[in-house]
Amino acid sequence: MTAVAFLDWRSPEHFDHGSDKPCVICTKPTPLRSDNGKPVHKVCAEAWIDDHPAKEGQQ
């Protein structure tokens, strides 16, 4: 069984009430923001994490 990334984005910092911006992965509009403030859908971010596992010594 393979582990799947699951991000907890319940915090209000992950939602921009002001405007939708293009997701950095799929380019469709989203009000969601990453921890770094980049516009990205939660499912897109989780899929990216699954496709790019951290190397040894990285978080």
mmCIF file of all heavy atoms in Angstrom, residues 15-56:
data_model
loop_
_atom_site.group_PDB
_atom_site.id
_atom_site.type_symbol
_atom_site.label_atom_id
_atom_site.label_comp_id
_atom_site.label_asym_id
_atom_site.label_seq_id
_atom_site.Cartn_x
_atom_site.Cartn_y
_atom_site.Cartn_z
ATOM 1 N N PHE A 15 -7.055 30.305 2.255
ATOM 2 C CA PHE A 15 -8.174 30.748 1.414
ATOM 3 C C PHE A 15 -8.093 32.255 1.213
ATOM 4 O O PHE A 15 -8.020 33.023 2.160
ATOM 5 C CB PHE A 15 -9.507 30.389 2.078
ATOM 6 C CG PHE A 15 -10.687 30.559 1.167
ATOM 7 C CD1 PHE A 15 -11.029 29.580 0.267
ATOM 8 C CD2 PHE A 15 -11.432 31.721 1.198
ATOM 9 C CE1 PHE A 15 -12.111 29.742 -0.590
ATOM 10 C CE2 PHE A 15 -12.515 31.895 0.351
ATOM 11 C CZ PHE A 15 -12.853 30.899 -0.543
ATOM 12 N N ASP A 16 -8.077 32.679 -0.049
ATOM 13 C CA ASP A 16 -8.041 34.099 -0.401
ATOM 14 C C ASP A 16 -9.453 34.533 -0.782
ATOM 15 O O ASP A 16 -9.952 34.179 -1.843
ATOM 16 C CB ASP A 16 -7.078 34.330 -1.558
ATOM 17 C CG ASP A 16 -6.962 35.787 -1.965
ATOM 18 O OD1 ASP A 16 -7.679 36.638 -1.405
ATOM 19 O OD2 ASP A 16 -6.140 36.077 -2.846
ATOM 20 N N HIS A 17 -10.087 35.287 0.090
ATOM 21 C CA HIS A 17 -11.449 35.761 -0.175
ATOM 22 C C HIS A 17 -11.477 36.838 -1.261
ATOM 23 O O HIS A 17 -12.529 37.127 -1.810
ATOM 24 C CB HIS A 17 -12.085 36.317 1.101
ATOM 25 C CG HIS A 17 -12.321 35.269 2.139
ATOM 26 N ND1 HIS A 17 -13.403 34.425 2.110
ATOM 27 C CD2 HIS A 17 -11.593 34.906 3.227
ATOM 28 C CE1 HIS A 17 -13.349 33.602 3.146
ATOM 29 N NE2 HIS A 17 -12.261 33.869 3.836
ATOM 30 N N GLY A 18 -10.322 37.408 -1.568
ATOM 31 C CA GLY A 18 -10.264 38.517 -2.512
ATOM 32 C C GLY A 18 -10.407 38.125 -3.965
ATOM 33 O O GLY A 18 -11.096 38.795 -4.727
ATOM 34 N N SER A 19 -9.752 37.044 -4.370
ATOM 35 C CA SER A 19 -9.810 36.702 -5.799
ATOM 36 C C SER A 19 -9.285 35.301 -6.058
ATOM 37 O O SER A 19 -8.498 34.764 -5.299
ATOM 38 C CB SER A 19 -8.981 37.692 -6.608
ATOM 39 O OG SER A 19 -7.603 37.570 -6.270
ATOM 40 N N ASP A 20 -9.740 34.739 -7.164
ATOM 41 C CA ASP A 20 -9.187 33.490 -7.667
ATOM 42 C C ASP A 20 -7.994 33.828 -8.547
ATOM 43 O O ASP A 20 -7.997 34.846 -9.248
ATOM 44 C CB ASP A 20 -10.214 32.739 -8.513
ATOM 45 C CG ASP A 20 -11.323 32.118 -7.684
ATOM 46 O OD1 ASP A 20 -11.281 32.223 -6.446
ATOM 47 O OD2 ASP A 20 -12.234 31.526 -8.294
ATOM 48 N N LYS A 21 -7.003 32.973 -8.505
ATOM 49 C CA LYS A 21 -5.833 33.111 -9.376
ATOM 50 C C LYS A 21 -5.570 31.751 -9.992
ATOM 51 O O LYS A 21 -6.003 30.724 -9.467
ATOM 52 C CB LYS A 21 -4.629 33.592 -8.577
ATOM 53 C CG LYS A 21 -4.837 34.988 -8.037
ATOM 54 C CD LYS A 21 -3.573 35.578 -7.525
ATOM 55 C CE LYS A 21 -3.919 37.008 -7.121
ATOM 56 N NZ LYS A 21 -2.846 37.720 -6.555
ATOM 57 N N PRO A 22 -4.837 31.709 -11.114
ATOM 58 C CA PRO A 22 -4.562 30.423 -11.758
ATOM 59 C C PRO A 22 -3.692 29.524 -10.879
ATOM 60 O O PRO A 22 -2.674 29.969 -10.348
ATOM 61 C CB PRO A 22 -3.818 30.799 -13.035
ATOM 62 C CG PRO A 22 -3.999 32.259 -13.203
ATOM 63 C CD PRO A 22 -4.315 32.834 -11.871
ATOM 64 N N CYS A 23 -4.091 28.285 -10.743
ATOM 65 C CA CYS A 23 -3.311 27.285 -10.027
ATOM 66 C C CYS A 23 -1.959 27.134 -10.720
ATOM 67 O O CYS A 23 -1.885 27.066 -11.949
ATOM 68 C CB CYS A 23 -4.073 25.960 -10.036
ATOM 69 S SG CYS A 23 -3.176 24.555 -9.355
ATOM 70 N N VAL A 24 -0.885 27.075 -9.927
ATOM 71 C CA VAL A 24 0.455 26.953 -10.506
ATOM 72 C C VAL A 24 0.688 25.592 -11.155
ATOM 73 O O VAL A 24 1.651 25.426 -11.894
ATOM 74 C CB VAL A 24 1.562 27.235 -9.461
ATOM 75 C CG1 VAL A 24 1.494 28.669 -8.978
ATOM 76 C CG2 VAL A 24 1.482 26.268 -8.293
ATOM 77 N N ILE A 25 -0.227 24.646 -10.923
ATOM 78 C CA ILE A 25 -0.062 23.311 -11.498
ATOM 79 C C ILE A 25 -0.993 23.089 -12.680
ATOM 80 O O ILE A 25 -0.553 22.721 -13.767
ATOM 81 C CB ILE A 25 -0.260 22.230 -10.419
ATOM 82 C CG1 ILE A 25 0.845 22.383 -9.360
ATOM 83 C CG2 ILE A 25 -0.255 20.825 -11.035
ATOM 84 C CD1 ILE A 25 0.695 21.507 -8.155
ATOM 85 N N CYS A 26 -2.292 23.350 -12.511
ATOM 86 C CA CYS A 26 -3.246 23.046 -13.589
ATOM 87 C C CYS A 26 -3.750 24.298 -14.325
ATOM 88 O O CYS A 26 -4.429 24.165 -15.331
ATOM 89 C CB CYS A 26 -4.435 22.256 -13.052
ATOM 90 S SG CYS A 26 -5.618 23.239 -12.090
ATOM 91 N N THR A 27 -3.451 25.462 -13.830
ATOM 92 C CA THR A 27 -3.806 26.785 -14.381
ATOM 93 C C THR A 27 -5.293 27.144 -14.289
ATOM 94 O O THR A 27 -5.681 28.215 -14.732
ATOM 95 C CB THR A 27 -3.319 26.975 -15.838
ATOM 96 O OG1 THR A 27 -4.076 26.165 -16.724
ATOM 97 C CG2 THR A 27 -1.838 26.706 -15.992
ATOM 98 N N LYS A 28 -6.122 26.293 -13.682
ATOM 99 C CA LYS A 28 -7.532 26.643 -13.481
ATOM 100 C C LYS A 28 -7.641 27.560 -12.263
ATOM 101 O O LYS A 28 -6.840 27.468 -11.330
ATOM 102 C CB LYS A 28 -8.378 25.391 -13.291
ATOM 103 C CG LYS A 28 -8.435 24.543 -14.538
ATOM 104 C CD LYS A 28 -9.256 23.306 -14.317
ATOM 105 C CE LYS A 28 -9.241 22.470 -15.598
ATOM 106 N NZ LYS A 28 -9.843 21.166 -15.405
ATOM 107 N N PRO A 29 -8.621 28.474 -12.224
ATOM 108 C CA PRO A 29 -8.741 29.415 -11.117
ATOM 109 C C PRO A 29 -8.981 28.732 -9.770
ATOM 110 O O PRO A 29 -9.678 27.717 -9.694
ATOM 111 C CB PRO A 29 -9.956 30.269 -11.482
ATOM 112 C CG PRO A 29 -10.316 29.922 -12.869
ATOM 113 C CD PRO A 29 -9.660 28.640 -13.235
ATOM 114 N N THR A 30 -8.374 29.298 -8.730
ATOM 115 C CA THR A 30 -8.571 28.780 -7.381
ATOM 116 C C THR A 30 -8.402 29.893 -6.342
ATOM 117 O O THR A 30 -7.549 30.758 -6.515
ATOM 118 C CB THR A 30 -7.586 27.635 -7.055
ATOM 119 O OG1 THR A 30 -7.862 27.162 -5.733
ATOM 120 C CG2 THR A 30 -6.141 28.069 -7.146
ATOM 121 N N PRO A 31 -9.207 29.864 -5.281
ATOM 122 C CA PRO A 31 -9.015 30.798 -4.173
ATOM 123 C C PRO A 31 -8.042 30.236 -3.130
ATOM 124 O O PRO A 31 -7.695 30.913 -2.176
ATOM 125 C CB PRO A 31 -10.422 30.920 -3.573
ATOM 126 C CG PRO A 31 -11.022 29.576 -3.801
ATOM 127 C CD PRO A 31 -10.470 29.129 -5.144
ATOM 128 N N LEU A 32 -7.598 28.985 -3.319
ATOM 129 C CA LEU A 32 -6.722 28.347 -2.339
ATOM 130 C C LEU A 32 -5.275 28.790 -2.516
ATOM 131 O O LEU A 32 -4.831 29.086 -3.628
ATOM 132 C CB LEU A 32 -6.815 26.828 -2.465
ATOM 133 C CG LEU A 32 -8.188 26.237 -2.183
ATOM 134 C CD1 LEU A 32 -8.180 24.734 -2.460
ATOM 135 C CD2 LEU A 32 -8.601 26.509 -0.755
ATOM 136 N N ARG A 33 -4.546 28.823 -1.393
ATOM 137 C CA ARG A 33 -3.143 29.230 -1.399
ATOM 138 C C ARG A 33 -2.313 28.225 -0.611
ATOM 139 O O ARG A 33 -2.741 27.705 0.415
ATOM 140 C CB ARG A 33 -2.975 30.626 -0.779
ATOM 141 C CG ARG A 33 -3.780 31.727 -1.463
ATOM 142 C CD ARG A 33 -3.300 31.976 -2.891
ATOM 143 N NE ARG A 33 -4.024 33.077 -3.527
ATOM 144 C CZ ARG A 33 -5.048 32.940 -4.360
ATOM 145 N NH1 ARG A 33 -5.501 31.736 -4.648
ATOM 146 N NH2 ARG A 33 -5.627 33.981 -4.900
ATOM 147 N N SER A 34 -1.097 27.993 -1.085
ATOM 148 C CA SER A 34 -0.173 27.097 -0.385
ATOM 149 C C SER A 34 0.375 27.784 0.862
ATOM 150 O O SER A 34 0.089 28.959 1.122
ATOM 151 C CB SER A 34 0.993 26.740 -1.313
ATOM 152 O OG SER A 34 1.816 27.883 -1.508
ATOM 153 N N ASP A 35 1.196 27.071 1.608
ATOM 154 C CA ASP A 35 1.850 27.667 2.777
ATOM 155 C C ASP A 35 2.707 28.864 2.382
ATOM 156 O O ASP A 35 2.940 29.756 3.181
ATOM 157 C CB ASP A 35 2.738 26.639 3.477
ATOM 158 C CG ASP A 35 1.942 25.571 4.206
ATOM 159 O OD1 ASP A 35 0.727 25.767 4.425
ATOM 160 O OD2 ASP A 35 2.540 24.542 4.567
ATOM 161 N N ASN A 36 3.188 28.868 1.138
ATOM 162 C CA ASN A 36 4.019 29.965 0.632
ATOM 163 C C ASN A 36 3.215 31.051 -0.066
ATOM 164 O O ASN A 36 3.789 31.956 -0.661
ATOM 165 C CB ASN A 36 5.086 29.426 -0.328
ATOM 166 C CG ASN A 36 6.048 28.497 0.367
ATOM 167 O OD1 ASN A 36 6.352 28.652 1.539
ATOM 168 N ND2 ASN A 36 6.526 27.505 -0.353
ATOM 169 N N GLY A 37 1.881 30.926 -0.055
ATOM 170 C CA GLY A 37 1.028 31.928 -0.677
ATOM 171 C C GLY A 37 0.792 31.751 -2.165
ATOM 172 O O GLY A 37 0.184 32.595 -2.805
ATOM 173 N N LYS A 38 1.261 30.637 -2.722
ATOM 174 C CA LYS A 38 1.065 30.375 -4.156
ATOM 175 C C LYS A 38 -0.342 29.833 -4.392
ATOM 176 O O LYS A 38 -0.834 29.002 -3.631
ATOM 177 C CB LYS A 38 2.074 29.331 -4.653
ATOM 178 C CG LYS A 38 3.508 29.707 -4.453
ATOM 179 C CD LYS A 38 3.942 30.716 -5.449
ATOM 180 C CE LYS A 38 5.435 30.957 -5.272
ATOM 181 N NZ LYS A 38 5.908 32.024 -6.088
ATOM 182 N N PRO A 39 -1.011 30.272 -5.466
ATOM 183 C CA PRO A 39 -2.338 29.728 -5.775
ATOM 184 C C PRO A 39 -2.217 28.292 -6.277
ATOM 185 O O PRO A 39 -1.494 28.016 -7.239
ATOM 186 C CB PRO A 39 -2.854 30.663 -6.878
ATOM 187 C CG PRO A 39 -1.642 31.284 -7.469
ATOM 188 C CD PRO A 39 -0.597 31.306 -6.410
ATOM 189 N N VAL A 40 -2.878 27.379 -5.585
ATOM 190 C CA VAL A 40 -2.828 25.964 -5.966
ATOM 191 C C VAL A 40 -4.009 25.242 -5.339
ATOM 192 O O VAL A 40 -4.380 25.499 -4.200
ATOM 193 C CB VAL A 40 -1.489 25.308 -5.540
ATOM 194 C CG1 VAL A 40 -1.303 25.311 -4.048
ATOM 195 C CG2 VAL A 40 -1.337 23.910 -6.105
ATOM 196 N N HIS A 41 -4.641 24.367 -6.118
ATOM 197 C CA HIS A 41 -5.703 23.524 -5.575
ATOM 198 C C HIS A 41 -5.080 22.530 -4.604
ATOM 199 O O HIS A 41 -3.974 22.037 -4.828
ATOM 200 C CB HIS A 41 -6.409 22.746 -6.689
ATOM 201 C CG HIS A 41 -7.117 23.600 -7.667
ATOM 202 N ND1 HIS A 41 -6.607 23.859 -8.914
ATOM 203 C CD2 HIS A 41 -8.286 24.275 -7.572
ATOM 204 C CE1 HIS A 41 -7.454 24.647 -9.562
ATOM 205 N NE2 HIS A 41 -8.478 24.917 -8.758
ATOM 206 N N LYS A 42 -5.811 22.196 -3.567
ATOM 207 C CA LYS A 42 -5.330 21.225 -2.578
ATOM 208 C C LYS A 42 -5.024 19.888 -3.245
ATOM 209 O O LYS A 42 -3.976 19.287 -3.001
ATOM 210 C CB LYS A 42 -6.361 21.064 -1.471
ATOM 211 C CG LYS A 42 -5.958 20.131 -0.359
ATOM 212 C CD LYS A 42 -7.045 20.111 0.709
ATOM 213 C CE LYS A 42 -6.755 19.121 1.803
ATOM 214 N NZ LYS A 42 -6.957 17.742 1.415
ATOM 215 N N VAL A 43 -5.905 19.421 -4.109
ATOM 216 C CA VAL A 43 -5.682 18.130 -4.775
ATOM 217 C C VAL A 43 -4.484 18.185 -5.713
ATOM 218 O O VAL A 43 -3.762 17.199 -5.862
ATOM 219 C CB VAL A 43 -6.936 17.612 -5.512
ATOM 220 C CG1 VAL A 43 -8.048 17.312 -4.538
ATOM 221 C CG2 VAL A 43 -7.403 18.572 -6.572
ATOM 222 N N CYS A 44 -4.252 19.330 -6.348
ATOM 223 C CA CYS A 44 -3.075 19.475 -7.216
ATOM 224 C C CYS A 44 -1.797 19.416 -6.386
ATOM 225 O O CYS A 44 -0.830 18.759 -6.776
ATOM 226 C CB CYS A 44 -3.131 20.797 -7.984
ATOM 227 S SG CYS A 44 -4.397 20.870 -9.269
ATOM 228 N N ALA A 45 -1.789 20.095 -5.235
ATOM 229 C CA ALA A 45 -0.621 20.084 -4.363
ATOM 230 C C ALA A 45 -0.352 18.678 -3.830
ATOM 231 O O ALA A 45 0.795 18.226 -3.790
ATOM 232 C CB ALA A 45 -0.814 21.068 -3.215
ATOM 233 N N GLU A 46 -1.413 17.974 -3.429
ATOM 234 C CA GLU A 46 -1.248 16.616 -2.922
ATOM 235 C C GLU A 46 -0.716 15.682 -4.008
ATOM 236 O O GLU A 46 0.175 14.860 -3.756
ATOM 237 C CB GLU A 46 -2.569 16.103 -2.356
ATOM 238 C CG GLU A 46 -2.976 16.801 -1.083
ATOM 239 C CD GLU A 46 -4.393 16.540 -0.639
ATOM 240 O OE1 GLU A 46 -5.231 16.101 -1.461
ATOM 241 O OE2 GLU A 46 -4.668 16.795 0.545
ATOM 242 N N ALA A 47 -1.214 15.815 -5.217
ATOM 243 C CA ALA A 47 -0.733 14.985 -6.330
ATOM 244 C C ALA A 47 0.728 15.293 -6.632
ATOM 245 O O ALA A 47 1.529 14.379 -6.895
ATOM 246 C CB ALA A 47 -1.594 15.205 -7.570
ATOM 247 N N TRP A 48 1.107 16.581 -6.576
ATOM 248 C CA TRP A 48 2.492 16.964 -6.833
ATOM 249 C C TRP A 48 3.409 16.348 -5.781
ATOM 250 O O TRP A 48 4.471 15.819 -6.105
ATOM 251 C CB TRP A 48 2.635 18.490 -6.834
ATOM 252 C CG TRP A 48 3.988 18.927 -7.310
ATOM 253 C CD1 TRP A 48 4.343 19.229 -8.584
ATOM 254 C CD2 TRP A 48 5.167 19.089 -6.513
ATOM 255 N NE1 TRP A 48 5.676 19.566 -8.634
ATOM 256 C CE2 TRP A 48 6.200 19.486 -7.369
ATOM 257 C CE3 TRP A 48 5.446 18.932 -5.165
ATOM 258 C CZ2 TRP A 48 7.493 19.734 -6.918
ATOM 259 C CZ3 TRP A 48 6.736 19.170 -4.715
ATOM 260 C CH2 TRP A 48 7.741 19.566 -5.586
ATOM 261 N N ILE A 49 2.998 16.388 -4.517
ATOM 262 C CA ILE A 49 3.794 15.793 -3.445
ATOM 263 C C ILE A 49 3.958 14.295 -3.669
ATOM 264 O O ILE A 49 5.055 13.745 -3.502
ATOM 265 C CB ILE A 49 3.156 16.079 -2.070
ATOM 266 C CG1 ILE A 49 3.287 17.570 -1.740
ATOM 267 C CG2 ILE A 49 3.798 15.224 -0.984
ATOM 268 C CD1 ILE A 49 2.443 18.018 -0.555
ATOM 269 N N ASP A 50 2.880 13.627 -4.080
ATOM 270 C CA ASP A 50 2.955 12.189 -4.346
ATOM 271 C C ASP A 50 3.896 11.881 -5.499
ATOM 272 O O ASP A 50 4.604 10.873 -5.483
ATOM 273 C CB ASP A 50 1.577 11.616 -4.670
ATOM 274 C CG ASP A 50 0.667 11.533 -3.448
ATOM 275 O OD1 ASP A 50 1.193 11.570 -2.311
ATOM 276 O OD2 ASP A 50 -0.545 11.433 -3.636
ATOM 277 N N ASP A 51 3.922 12.744 -6.497
ATOM 278 C CA ASP A 51 4.774 12.533 -7.675
ATOM 279 C C ASP A 51 6.225 12.949 -7.459
ATOM 280 O O ASP A 51 7.095 12.592 -8.256
ATOM 281 C CB ASP A 51 4.222 13.306 -8.885
ATOM 282 C CG ASP A 51 2.905 12.742 -9.386
ATOM 283 O OD1 ASP A 51 2.580 11.579 -9.047
ATOM 284 O OD2 ASP A 51 2.190 13.470 -10.092
ATOM 285 N N HIS A 52 6.496 13.726 -6.408
ATOM 286 C CA HIS A 52 7.854 14.228 -6.133
ATOM 287 C C HIS A 52 8.221 13.955 -4.675
ATOM 288 O O HIS A 52 8.268 14.870 -3.850
ATOM 289 C CB HIS A 52 7.920 15.735 -6.397
ATOM 290 C CG HIS A 52 7.616 16.091 -7.811
ATOM 291 N ND1 HIS A 52 6.323 16.308 -8.267
ATOM 292 C CD2 HIS A 52 8.415 16.250 -8.883
ATOM 293 C CE1 HIS A 52 6.370 16.586 -9.553
ATOM 294 N NE2 HIS A 52 7.607 16.559 -9.945
ATOM 295 N N PRO A 53 8.479 12.691 -4.351
ATOM 296 C CA PRO A 53 8.806 12.345 -2.957
ATOM 297 C C PRO A 53 10.078 13.057 -2.509
ATOM 298 O O PRO A 53 10.995 13.277 -3.309
ATOM 299 C CB PRO A 53 8.974 10.830 -2.978
ATOM 300 C CG PRO A 53 9.193 10.469 -4.398
ATOM 301 C CD PRO A 53 8.560 11.539 -5.236
ATOM 302 N N ALA A 54 10.112 13.407 -1.215
ATOM 303 C CA ALA A 54 11.285 14.077 -0.650
ATOM 304 C C ALA A 54 12.469 13.121 -0.687
ATOM 305 O O ALA A 54 12.337 11.927 -0.459
ATOM 306 C CB ALA A 54 10.995 14.515 0.774
ATOM 307 N N LYS A 55 13.636 13.679 -0.990
ATOM 308 C CA LYS A 55 14.849 12.887 -0.974
ATOM 309 C C LYS A 55 15.339 12.792 0.468
ATOM 310 O O LYS A 55 14.941 13.562 1.328
ATOM 311 C CB LYS A 55 15.898 13.545 -1.863
ATOM 312 C CG LYS A 55 15.496 13.525 -3.323
ATOM 313 C CD LYS A 55 16.572 14.086 -4.195
ATOM 314 C CE LYS A 55 16.196 13.858 -5.633
ATOM 315 N NZ LYS A 55 15.995 14.997 -6.406
ATOM 316 N N GLU A 56 16.202 11.850 0.726
ATOM 317 C CA GLU A 56 16.719 11.653 2.076
ATOM 318 C C GLU A 56 17.331 12.953 2.599
ATOM 319 O O GLU A 56 18.079 13.629 1.898
ATOM 320 C CB GLU A 56 17.782 10.550 2.057
ATOM 321 C CG GLU A 56 18.174 10.085 3.435
ATOM 322 C CD GLU A 56 19.091 8.882 3.392
ATOM 323 O OE1 GLU A 56 18.896 8.036 2.509
ATOM 324 O OE2 GLU A 56 19.975 8.826 4.230
#
